[in-house]
Amino acid sequence: MANWQHCPAVERASGQDGGLWMFKGTDVPLYHLYERLADGGTVDDFATRHGVDVEMAAAALEYEADELHDYRLDYAGRVPFARNIDPAHLRPDNTLWGNCPLVEQAEGRLGGAWVFKHSRLALYVLHYHLAGGRTLDEFDEWYGMDTSKAVAVLQHEAKVLERAQPAHADIV
């Protein structure tokens, strides 16, 4: 999961929302974006439906893609590329992806990036694709990845964010 505390598009809600990540200046939780995308919607659909600036929604996805791209393993199992990680927590982020059966991380594959299981297709590609306003059907067409796998990954991400899990930098 991205270290959301550094994302300019979201902020941690306080009080009754249980610390959910929300789009700045709104009462819209970040997990709603992932739910909408999993339902086959686009960033534009989400923005229109929830009254969130489309650029802000796209920026959140791009931020996540950047974090996924940078969060790779070197051959010693460390994360030398991550920009926003707390140095005390240099380890794979198993909070979000470690219990998702459709993804894996291996030192010898794409520099240790999180990928769809049994493939060389990195998760950050999905996030960049969706941030550009494209659909899951286009993702399937362009990358040959079964849409149901992308849907399941987005649903997994939405569930974790809905549970108000902390950003990996917050984990002790």
Side-chain angles (χ1 to χ4, degrees), residues 39-70:
D39 287 340
T42 64
V43 172
D44 290 335
D45 296 337
F46 167 79
T48 300
R49 177 181 232 170
H50 293 285
V52 172
D53 181 67
V54 69
E55 291 178 13
M56 190 181 301
L61 284 169
E62 289 171 358
Y63 181 84
E64 172 104 17
D66 288 345
E67 288 276 304
L68 283 166
H69 181 265
D70 289 348

mmCIF file of all heavy atoms in Angstrom, residues 39-70:
data_model
loop_
_atom_site.group_PDB
_atom_site.id
_atom_site.type_symbol
_atom_site.label_atom_id
_atom_site.label_comp_id
_atom_site.label_asym_id
_atom_site.label_seq_id
_atom_site.Cartn_x
_atom_site.Cartn_y
_atom_site.Cartn_z
ATOM 1 N N ASP A 39 -15.772 -1.917 -10.127
ATOM 2 C CA ASP A 39 -17.088 -2.094 -10.744
ATOM 3 C C ASP A 39 -17.081 -1.762 -12.231
ATOM 4 O O ASP A 39 -18.139 -1.758 -12.868
ATOM 5 C CB ASP A 39 -18.136 -1.217 -10.048
ATOM 6 C CG ASP A 39 -18.506 -1.733 -8.675
ATOM 7 O OD1 ASP A 39 -18.265 -2.930 -8.397
ATOM 8 O OD2 ASP A 39 -19.044 -0.952 -7.868
ATOM 9 N N GLY A 40 -15.913 -1.451 -12.779
ATOM 10 C CA GLY A 40 -15.810 -1.158 -14.207
ATOM 11 C C GLY A 40 -15.869 0.312 -14.547
ATOM 12 O O GLY A 40 -15.863 0.685 -15.715
ATOM 13 N N GLY A 41 -15.917 1.167 -13.533
ATOM 14 C CA GLY A 41 -15.955 2.601 -13.774
ATOM 15 C C GLY A 41 -14.576 3.159 -14.084
ATOM 16 O O GLY A 41 -13.578 2.453 -14.046
ATOM 17 N N THR A 42 -14.567 4.429 -14.388
ATOM 18 C CA THR A 42 -13.316 5.136 -14.666
ATOM 19 C C THR A 42 -13.106 6.207 -13.613
ATOM 20 O O THR A 42 -13.988 6.480 -12.786
ATOM 21 C CB THR A 42 -13.351 5.805 -16.051
ATOM 22 O OG1 THR A 42 -14.373 6.816 -16.043
ATOM 23 C CG2 THR A 42 -13.613 4.797 -17.165
ATOM 24 N N VAL A 43 -11.963 6.838 -13.672
ATOM 25 C CA VAL A 43 -11.680 7.953 -12.772
ATOM 26 C C VAL A 43 -12.712 9.060 -12.979
ATOM 27 O O VAL A 43 -13.202 9.653 -12.013
ATOM 28 C CB VAL A 43 -10.242 8.482 -12.988
ATOM 29 C CG1 VAL A 43 -9.999 9.749 -12.211
ATOM 30 C CG2 VAL A 43 -9.222 7.433 -12.607
ATOM 31 N N ASP A 44 -13.076 9.322 -14.232
ATOM 32 C CA ASP A 44 -14.090 10.343 -14.521
ATOM 33 C C ASP A 44 -15.436 9.982 -13.905
ATOM 34 O O ASP A 44 -16.112 10.840 -13.332
ATOM 35 C CB ASP A 44 -14.254 10.532 -16.030
ATOM 36 C CG ASP A 44 -13.056 11.194 -16.677
ATOM 37 O OD1 ASP A 44 -12.319 11.920 -15.980
ATOM 38 O OD2 ASP A 44 -12.853 10.985 -17.889
ATOM 39 N N ASP A 45 -15.843 8.711 -14.022
ATOM 40 C CA ASP A 45 -17.101 8.257 -13.417
ATOM 41 C C ASP A 45 -17.092 8.502 -11.911
ATOM 42 O O ASP A 45 -18.059 9.008 -11.344
ATOM 43 C CB ASP A 45 -17.316 6.750 -13.632
ATOM 44 C CG ASP A 45 -17.469 6.348 -15.073
ATOM 45 O OD1 ASP A 45 -17.850 7.194 -15.903
ATOM 46 O OD2 ASP A 45 -17.202 5.160 -15.375
ATOM 47 N N PHE A 46 -15.990 8.105 -11.286
ATOM 48 C CA PHE A 46 -15.863 8.274 -9.846
ATOM 49 C C PHE A 46 -15.961 9.749 -9.462
ATOM 50 O O PHE A 46 -16.695 10.113 -8.546
ATOM 51 C CB PHE A 46 -14.535 7.695 -9.352
ATOM 52 C CG PHE A 46 -14.205 8.103 -7.948
ATOM 53 C CD1 PHE A 46 -14.808 7.472 -6.876
ATOM 54 C CD2 PHE A 46 -13.313 9.135 -7.699
ATOM 55 C CE1 PHE A 46 -14.529 7.855 -5.572
ATOM 56 C CE2 PHE A 46 -13.025 9.521 -6.405
ATOM 57 C CZ PHE A 46 -13.636 8.882 -5.335
ATOM 58 N N ALA A 47 -15.213 10.590 -10.164
ATOM 59 C CA ALA A 47 -15.185 12.022 -9.840
ATOM 60 C C ALA A 47 -16.574 12.640 -9.967
ATOM 61 O O ALA A 47 -17.007 13.404 -9.094
ATOM 62 C CB ALA A 47 -14.189 12.739 -10.750
ATOM 63 N N THR A 48 -17.272 12.298 -11.026
ATOM 64 C CA THR A 48 -18.617 12.833 -11.241
ATOM 65 C C THR A 48 -19.577 12.345 -10.166
ATOM 66 O O THR A 48 -20.344 13.133 -9.595
ATOM 67 C CB THR A 48 -19.143 12.417 -12.634
ATOM 68 O OG1 THR A 48 -18.250 12.930 -13.620
ATOM 69 C CG2 THR A 48 -20.545 12.937 -12.880
ATOM 70 N N ARG A 49 -19.520 11.062 -9.870
ATOM 71 C CA ARG A 49 -20.440 10.460 -8.907
ATOM 72 C C ARG A 49 -20.236 10.987 -7.492
ATOM 73 O O ARG A 49 -21.194 11.167 -6.742
ATOM 74 C CB ARG A 49 -20.265 8.948 -8.924
ATOM 75 C CG ARG A 49 -21.111 8.233 -7.921
ATOM 76 C CD ARG A 49 -20.863 6.754 -7.986
ATOM 77 N NE ARG A 49 -22.144 6.096 -8.118
ATOM 78 C CZ ARG A 49 -22.296 4.833 -8.390
ATOM 79 N NH1 ARG A 49 -21.256 4.083 -8.625
ATOM 80 N NH2 ARG A 49 -23.484 4.306 -8.438
ATOM 81 N N HIS A 50 -18.996 11.253 -7.102
ATOM 82 C CA HIS A 50 -18.700 11.632 -5.720
ATOM 83 C C HIS A 50 -18.329 13.099 -5.528
ATOM 84 O O HIS A 50 -18.034 13.513 -4.405
ATOM 85 C CB HIS A 50 -17.572 10.747 -5.170
ATOM 86 C CG HIS A 50 -17.980 9.320 -5.027
ATOM 87 N ND1 HIS A 50 -18.805 8.872 -4.025
ATOM 88 C CD2 HIS A 50 -17.687 8.230 -5.779
ATOM 89 C CE1 HIS A 50 -18.997 7.572 -4.156
ATOM 90 N NE2 HIS A 50 -18.332 7.163 -5.219
ATOM 91 N N GLY A 51 -18.318 13.876 -6.601
ATOM 92 C CA GLY A 51 -17.999 15.292 -6.475
ATOM 93 C C GLY A 51 -16.549 15.554 -6.109
ATOM 94 O O GLY A 51 -16.229 16.542 -5.440
ATOM 95 N N VAL A 52 -15.662 14.667 -6.543
ATOM 96 C CA VAL A 52 -14.234 14.823 -6.300
ATOM 97 C C VAL A 52 -13.592 15.311 -7.596
ATOM 98 O O VAL A 52 -13.974 14.870 -8.681
ATOM 99 C CB VAL A 52 -13.600 13.471 -5.872
ATOM 100 C CG1 VAL A 52 -12.093 13.556 -5.792
ATOM 101 C CG2 VAL A 52 -14.191 13.017 -4.545
ATOM 102 N N ASP A 53 -12.644 16.204 -7.491
ATOM 103 C CA ASP A 53 -11.939 16.693 -8.665
ATOM 104 C C ASP A 53 -11.266 15.513 -9.362
ATOM 105 O O ASP A 53 -10.557 14.724 -8.733
ATOM 106 C CB ASP A 53 -10.899 17.733 -8.246
ATOM 107 C CG ASP A 53 -10.155 18.299 -9.432
ATOM 108 O OD1 ASP A 53 -10.785 19.002 -10.245
ATOM 109 O OD2 ASP A 53 -8.939 18.012 -9.541
ATOM 110 N N VAL A 54 -11.490 15.390 -10.671
ATOM 111 C CA VAL A 54 -10.946 14.265 -11.428
ATOM 112 C C VAL A 54 -9.421 14.234 -11.370
ATOM 113 O O VAL A 54 -8.810 13.160 -11.309
ATOM 114 C CB VAL A 54 -11.473 14.256 -12.884
ATOM 115 C CG1 VAL A 54 -10.908 15.407 -13.688
ATOM 116 C CG2 VAL A 54 -11.162 12.916 -13.552
ATOM 117 N N GLU A 55 -8.803 15.398 -11.362
ATOM 118 C CA GLU A 55 -7.337 15.439 -11.272
ATOM 119 C C GLU A 55 -6.844 14.931 -9.916
ATOM 120 O O GLU A 55 -5.782 14.316 -9.829
ATOM 121 C CB GLU A 55 -6.831 16.851 -11.547
ATOM 122 C CG GLU A 55 -7.022 17.262 -12.997
ATOM 123 C CD GLU A 55 -6.573 18.678 -13.287
ATOM 124 O OE1 GLU A 55 -5.880 19.277 -12.437
ATOM 125 O OE2 GLU A 55 -6.926 19.178 -14.365
ATOM 126 N N MET A 56 -7.626 15.173 -8.878
ATOM 127 C CA MET A 56 -7.258 14.690 -7.551
ATOM 128 C C MET A 56 -7.352 13.153 -7.501
ATOM 129 O O MET A 56 -6.474 12.486 -6.952
ATOM 130 C CB MET A 56 -8.161 15.311 -6.477
ATOM 131 C CG MET A 56 -7.690 15.044 -5.064
ATOM 132 S SD MET A 56 -8.764 15.741 -3.781
ATOM 133 C CE MET A 56 -8.734 17.477 -4.172
ATOM 134 N N ALA A 57 -8.410 12.606 -8.092
ATOM 135 C CA ALA A 57 -8.573 11.154 -8.122
ATOM 136 C C ALA A 57 -7.455 10.505 -8.941
ATOM 137 O O ALA A 57 -6.872 9.503 -8.527
ATOM 138 C CB ALA A 57 -9.939 10.783 -8.687
ATOM 139 N N ALA A 58 -7.158 11.082 -10.088
ATOM 140 C CA ALA A 58 -6.071 10.553 -10.924
ATOM 141 C C ALA A 58 -4.735 10.671 -10.196
ATOM 142 O O ALA A 58 -3.901 9.765 -10.268
ATOM 143 C CB ALA A 58 -6.031 11.284 -12.261
ATOM 144 N N ALA A 59 -4.545 11.764 -9.474
ATOM 145 C CA ALA A 59 -3.299 11.967 -8.741
ATOM 146 C C ALA A 59 -3.111 10.902 -7.663
ATOM 147 O O ALA A 59 -1.989 10.446 -7.426
ATOM 148 C CB ALA A 59 -3.261 13.360 -8.116
ATOM 149 N N ALA A 60 -4.199 10.482 -7.015
ATOM 150 C CA ALA A 60 -4.097 9.430 -5.998
ATOM 151 C C ALA A 60 -3.651 8.119 -6.637
ATOM 152 O O ALA A 60 -2.788 7.424 -6.104
ATOM 153 C CB ALA A 60 -5.423 9.253 -5.273
ATOM 154 N N LEU A 61 -4.217 7.784 -7.784
ATOM 155 C CA LEU A 61 -3.816 6.556 -8.475
ATOM 156 C C LEU A 61 -2.377 6.640 -8.971
ATOM 157 O O LEU A 61 -1.623 5.662 -8.890
ATOM 158 C CB LEU A 61 -4.749 6.283 -9.652
ATOM 159 C CG LEU A 61 -6.121 5.732 -9.280
ATOM 160 C CD1 LEU A 61 -7.038 5.758 -10.492
ATOM 161 C CD2 LEU A 61 -6.009 4.327 -8.716
ATOM 162 N N GLU A 62 -1.992 7.791 -9.485
ATOM 163 C CA GLU A 62 -0.615 7.963 -9.948
ATOM 164 C C GLU A 62 0.357 7.877 -8.773
ATOM 165 O O GLU A 62 1.448 7.320 -8.897
ATOM 166 C CB GLU A 62 -0.455 9.295 -10.677
ATOM 167 C CG GLU A 62 -1.130 9.312 -12.025
ATOM 168 C CD GLU A 62 -1.175 10.685 -12.664
ATOM 169 O OE1 GLU A 62 -0.698 11.666 -12.033
ATOM 170 O OE2 GLU A 62 -1.699 10.787 -13.774
ATOM 171 N N TYR A 63 -0.049 8.428 -7.652
ATOM 172 C CA TYR A 63 0.790 8.350 -6.452
ATOM 173 C C TYR A 63 0.986 6.893 -6.050
ATOM 174 O O TYR A 63 2.096 6.453 -5.761
ATOM 175 C CB TYR A 63 0.150 9.147 -5.311
ATOM 176 C CG TYR A 63 0.974 9.141 -4.057
ATOM 177 C CD1 TYR A 63 2.016 10.038 -3.887
ATOM 178 C CD2 TYR A 63 0.729 8.212 -3.059
ATOM 179 C CE1 TYR A 63 2.798 10.020 -2.744
ATOM 180 C CE2 TYR A 63 1.510 8.185 -1.906
ATOM 181 C CZ TYR A 63 2.533 9.092 -1.757
ATOM 182 O OH TYR A 63 3.304 9.065 -0.623
ATOM 183 N N GLU A 64 -0.106 6.141 -6.035
ATOM 184 C CA GLU A 64 -0.008 4.716 -5.691
ATOM 185 C C GLU A 64 0.883 3.989 -6.694
ATOM 186 O O GLU A 64 1.715 3.159 -6.322
ATOM 187 C CB GLU A 64 -1.390 4.065 -5.667
ATOM 188 C CG GLU A 64 -1.339 2.568 -5.506
ATOM 189 C CD GLU A 64 -1.692 2.085 -4.128
ATOM 190 O OE1 GLU A 64 -2.290 2.835 -3.355
ATOM 191 O OE2 GLU A 64 -1.366 0.930 -3.834
ATOM 192 N N ALA A 65 0.727 4.301 -7.979
ATOM 193 C CA ALA A 65 1.561 3.665 -9.005
ATOM 194 C C ALA A 65 3.034 3.996 -8.783
ATOM 195 O O ALA A 65 3.892 3.107 -8.873
ATOM 196 C CB ALA A 65 1.113 4.113 -10.391
ATOM 197 N N ASP A 66 3.325 5.247 -8.485
ATOM 198 C CA ASP A 66 4.716 5.646 -8.215
ATOM 199 C C ASP A 66 5.277 4.894 -7.011
ATOM 200 O O ASP A 66 6.417 4.438 -7.028
ATOM 201 C CB ASP A 66 4.819 7.151 -7.964
ATOM 202 C CG ASP A 66 4.628 7.991 -9.218
ATOM 203 O OD1 ASP A 66 4.694 7.430 -10.335
ATOM 204 O OD2 ASP A 66 4.410 9.201 -9.068
ATOM 205 N N GLU A 67 4.477 4.784 -5.954
ATOM 206 C CA GLU A 67 4.919 4.072 -4.764
ATOM 207 C C GLU A 67 5.158 2.595 -5.084
ATOM 208 O O GLU A 67 6.154 2.019 -4.650
ATOM 209 C CB GLU A 67 3.875 4.196 -3.652
ATOM 210 C CG GLU A 67 3.808 5.567 -3.040
ATOM 211 C CD GLU A 67 4.849 5.764 -1.959
ATOM 212 O OE1 GLU A 67 4.884 4.968 -1.005
ATOM 213 O OE2 GLU A 67 5.618 6.718 -2.068
ATOM 214 N N LEU A 68 4.261 1.977 -5.841
ATOM 215 C CA LEU A 68 4.443 0.572 -6.215
ATOM 216 C C LEU A 68 5.675 0.392 -7.091
ATOM 217 O O LEU A 68 6.397 -0.594 -6.968
ATOM 218 C CB LEU A 68 3.204 0.045 -6.941
ATOM 219 C CG LEU A 68 2.015 -0.289 -6.057
ATOM 220 C CD1 LEU A 68 0.756 -0.459 -6.902
ATOM 221 C CD2 LEU A 68 2.283 -1.535 -5.236
ATOM 222 N N HIS A 69 5.898 1.353 -7.970
ATOM 223 C CA HIS A 69 7.066 1.274 -8.847
ATOM 224 C C HIS A 69 8.360 1.374 -8.037
ATOM 225 O O HIS A 69 9.321 0.656 -8.281
ATOM 226 C CB HIS A 69 7.020 2.377 -9.898
ATOM 227 C CG HIS A 69 8.167 2.330 -10.842
ATOM 228 N ND1 HIS A 69 9.300 3.081 -10.644
ATOM 229 C CD2 HIS A 69 8.371 1.605 -11.960
ATOM 230 C CE1 HIS A 69 10.152 2.822 -11.625
ATOM 231 N NE2 HIS A 69 9.626 1.937 -12.429
ATOM 232 N N ASP A 70 8.372 2.261 -7.066
ATOM 233 C CA ASP A 70 9.571 2.485 -6.270
ATOM 234 C C ASP A 70 9.774 1.430 -5.194
ATOM 235 O O ASP A 70 10.875 1.263 -4.698
ATOM 236 C CB ASP A 70 9.512 3.855 -5.591
ATOM 237 C CG ASP A 70 9.673 4.989 -6.583
ATOM 238 O OD1 ASP A 70 10.054 4.715 -7.725
ATOM 239 O OD2 ASP A 70 9.412 6.130 -6.201
#
